[in-house]
Amino acid sequence: MTTKKGIAILGSTGSIGTQTLDVIESYPEKFEVSVLTANSNADLLIEQALKFKPNAVVIVDETKYTEYNFGKNFGLLFFFVLRKPHAFFSTSSTC
């Protein structure tokens, strides 16, 4: 039995992110989406989250988080705001 690789997609609503999701969708036996992130395209991010059911979904634009009432409207999906994205990227390189 082959273990699926969990994939985190930074910028899932952009061109490269959507193409990456297309590839993942073509190989469901090999990959699963663990994390989706987007800057501000909440509509597409929600659509992707409902389709791929990741463990976490991140939106950088706090106004979108509030406007869409993330955390209350989408059941078990975990949405949150990344308030200091520069801090995330500067520390993630040390992991």
Side-chain angles (χ1 to χ4, degrees), residues 7-25:
I7 307 293
I9 302 177
L10 306 177
S12 68
T13 61
S15 176
I16 294 171
T18 56
Q19 290 174 45
T20 302
L21 288 171
D22 289 343
V23 171
I24 290 170
E25 189 173 25

Side-chain angles (χ1 to χ4, degrees), residues 47-78:
E47 181 182 319
Q48 292 171 340
L50 293 172
K51 182 175 186 177
F52 290 97
K53 298 179 178 35
N55 296 322
V57 180
V58 179
I59 191 155
V60 175
D61 186 339
E62 191 168 356
T63 61
K64 297 292 185 178
Y65 183 88
T66 304
E67 177 184 341
Y68 284 80
N69 201 14
F70 286 115
K72 293 184 180 179
N73 291 337
F74 301 99
L76 299 175
L77 292 173
F78 178 52

